[in-house]
Amino acid sequence: MHDQASVLRNLASREKHKSKMRVIAVTSGKGGVGKTNFTVNLALALAEYGQRVIILDGDLGLANVDIAFGLTARYTIEHLLSGEKTIEQILLTGPLGIGIIPGGSGVQGLANLEHDQLANVVVNLGRLERMADLLIIDTGAGLGHTVINFLQAADDIIMVITPEPTALTDAYGLLKTLRKEAGEVPIHIVINRVKTEADALATYKRLEVAVSKFLHGSLNLLGWVYDDPLMGRAVMQQVPLGISYPESSAYRCIQWIAGTVTGIYLSPPRQAGGIRGFLSTLLRSF
Ligand SMILES: Nc1ncnc2c1ncn2[C@@H]1O[C@H](COP(=O)(O)OP(=O)(O)OP(=O)(O)O)[C@@H](O)[C@H]1O
Ligand SMILES: [Mg+2]
């Protein structure tokens, strides 16, 4: 596996000057922190801002992204690797024209390709440049070989953490490795499932203090997402939160983050309080 990454980079750089598709990898130290749902809803919010988005479901375990959209993948990246299907044939189309590349177990193969296969895959993935402005990769948790490859290759890494102590410890471990393996790639932190803004800031502070000894400057807080029971409901319904509950506090946070990602800076949203929240704020001002 000597120089897989550099071959891929060389092949990819030939395509690169034609157009620029930004690649964002979403990752986490610990599983189950909300990466897939964040990815799906970030894609939706970005599409609302007029961005053309494709999601690569890079999770090696269960294919989740298609399920979150209520879609069923017929073919996966495995069919692309074997040469049976083209990228256009495996690509699913979700709401607002969002493209979904089902990964399945084929994703692991991406990191272990022969040169001929690699060329074929790069040509196919290269065609994505014309179809989208952004490729978002849901990498799955942890530090497998494939995940590291994705993270090294990305323009930006979004790392999802939660305020739980274990998620923080795992995030610390991941950051430590990333500094060695993907030192150049900017890492943006999203804190998911926070109760309050103060909760988010305190969690970020704890992470920052823990990593300040070995990480210099490349970490930043991208935003946070409220713990929101509507997220769980959206998951059960297999309809992304941004479609089933676009006014939910969690989705509004993700819209805010999407704004930052597209370069539009908005002020952080507050917890959605509905009409009661509105009234209590209004009445307090009298
Ligand atoms: N902001 C939130 N508020 C409430 N619940 C949430 C939130 N984000 C995620 N969840 C819950 O966490 C569960 C796991 O989320 P998700 O599948 O996106 O995590 P993941 O990091 O992709 O997991 P895995 O590591 O297994 O791929 C969801 O089913 C949902 O119920
Ligand atoms: Mg997932």
Side-chain angles (χ1 to χ4, degrees):
M1 254 359 2
H2 58 291
D3 220 10
Q4 180 88 23
S6 76
V7 174
L8 199 58
R9 254 195 307 274
N10 286 341
L11 284 164
S13 67
R14 278 187 230 157
E15 301 283 325
K16 216 160 198 169
H17 59 272
K18 287 185 202 157
S19 55
K20 289 192 206 85
M21 182 174 68
R22 212 167 131 201
V23 179
I24 300 177
V26 178
T27 194
S28 69
K30 186 178 180 289
V33 296
K35 287 177 304 297
T36 299
N37 284 288
F38 173 76
T39 301
V40 160
N41 288 290
L42 180 69
L44 266 178
L46 288 165
E48 285 173 350
Y49 282 129
Q51 301 272 312
R52 296 173 307 156
V53 186
I54 292 177
I55 301 173
L56 170 58
D57 188 349
D59 200 324
L60 302 175
L62 292 168
N64 278 321
V65 173
D66 55 337
I67 293 169
F69 278 112
L71 299 169
T72 312
R74 201 146 154 234
Y75 305 111
T76 71
I77 215 156
E78 238 165 321
H79 297 92
L80 182 70
L81 299 192
S82 66
E84 287 167 71
K85 299 286 167 199
T86 63
I87 188 75
E88 290 81 0
Q89 287 169 319
I90 66 169
L91 199 68
L92 297 170
T93 308
L96 302 180
I98 293 168
I100 299 132
I101 305 172
S105 52
V107 168
Q108 200 130 42
L110 267 181
N112 300 293
L113 293 174
E114 301 297 324
H115 194 279
D116 287 358
Q117 281 180 304
L118 189 63
N120 173 44
V121 168
V122 170
V123 166
N124 271 276
L125 292 183
R127 289 208 294 275
L128 294 177
E129 295 263 46
R130 278 184 267 123
M131 301 180 213
D133 307 304
L134 269 163
L135 178 69
I136 309 179
I137 306 171
D138 178 8
T139 65
L143 283 167
H145 181 56
T146 313
V147 171
I148 290 285
N149 282 357
F150 279 142
L151 298 177
Q152 284 171 335
D155 294 309
D156 291 275
I157 296 169
I158 295 180
M159 206 170 129
V160 180
I161 69 171
T162 63
E164 305 170 89
T166 49
L168 217 66
T169 315
D170 291 347
Y172 175 88
L174 178 59
L175 281 170
K176 204 162 182 174
T177 308
L178 280 181
R179 195 207 163 207
K180 272 190 251 136
E181 305 280 345
E184 310 284 285
V185 188
I187 300 165
H188 312 277
I189 302 294
V190 167
I191 305 171
N192 190 27
R193 310 198 68 162
V194 303
K195 303 276 186 245
T196 60
E197 177 174 343
D199 188 16
L201 296 176
T203 302
Y204 183 68
K205 192 81 209 160
R206 282 204 297 279
L207 183 68
E208 214 180 20
V209 167
V211 303
S212 62
K213 290 180 204 79
F214 62 80
L215 209 81
H216 311 283
S218 60
L219 197 67
N220 81 289
L221 177 61
L222 183 61
W224 58 86
V225 180
Y226 290 117
D227 189 55
D228 188 337
L230 292 175
M231 183 68 100
R233 263 203 249 170
V235 170
M236 293 305 288
Q237 294 165 357
Q238 289 187 31
V239 178
L241 185 72
I243 291 175
S244 48
Y245 304 104
E247 302 298 330
S248 57
S249 57
Y251 189 63
R252 291 194 320 137
C253 289
I254 295 171
Q255 284 176 311
W256 161 55
I257 292 167
T260 309
V261 170
T262 52
I264 306 160
Y265 195 84
L266 305 170
S267 58
R270 287 181 297 167
Q271 183 97 266
I275 188 67
R276 266 186 286 167
F278 169 76
L279 285 176
S280 71
T281 310
L282 188 72
L283 294 176
R284 249 186 281 138
S285 65
F286 278 103

